[in-house]
Amino acid sequence: MQLPSEMPSLVPVKGSSNVYAYSYDPQVRTLYVQFLEPPLRNRPGPLYRYRDVPLGVFRRFERAPSKGKYIHMHIKGHFHYGKWTGTNWRTETVLKKNSAEQKRLRERFGG
């Protein structure tokens, strides 16, 4: 996946214990999320990009009272992602083995 020539401006999240900021690029359906740095969660931490996120999913994320819970329930494990390493993107090309999507597939088809 090609990255944009400029990183989109991130929207800060106030009052979250997990998410520092986010951005969405509707042209390529990419959601960028910057989490708070663990373990103290008092400064910006890792930046992730989630690919092929529909606009409707992003709109629900924007309106969610808890951005961290929404990401955990509806984004992690549902979309391919990459993590910014400081110099480039480390891309995960498959969903996590224990992702919600994988669980649904196992339940539906066995395995």
Side-chain angles (χ1 to χ4, degrees), residues 8-78:
S9 297
L10 296 173
V11 176
V13 176
K14 294 184 181 186
S16 177
S17 61
N18 194 22
V19 177
Y20 179 76
Y22 67 90
S23 183
Y24 181 74
D25 185 341
Q27 292 180 335
V28 291
R29 296 173 17 133
T30 300
L31 173 65
Y32 297 91
V33 178
Q34 186 170 25
F35 293 94
L36 289 163
E37 182 71 41
L40 299 178
R41 301 195 182 277
N42 60 356
R43 62 182 181 178
L47 176 66
Y48 286 79
R49 72 165 186 234
Y50 296 92
R51 298 185 299 147
D52 298 320
V53 176
L55 182 60
V57 170
F58 169 67
R59 293 285 185 226
R60 288 188 291 280
F61 164 75
E62 270 191 313
R63 292 189 306 264
S66 171
K67 305 270 188 275
K69 282 183 184 177
Y70 188 88
I71 289 170
H72 181 71
M73 293 176 65
H74 302 286
I75 295 181
K76 282 185 176 180
H78 296 270

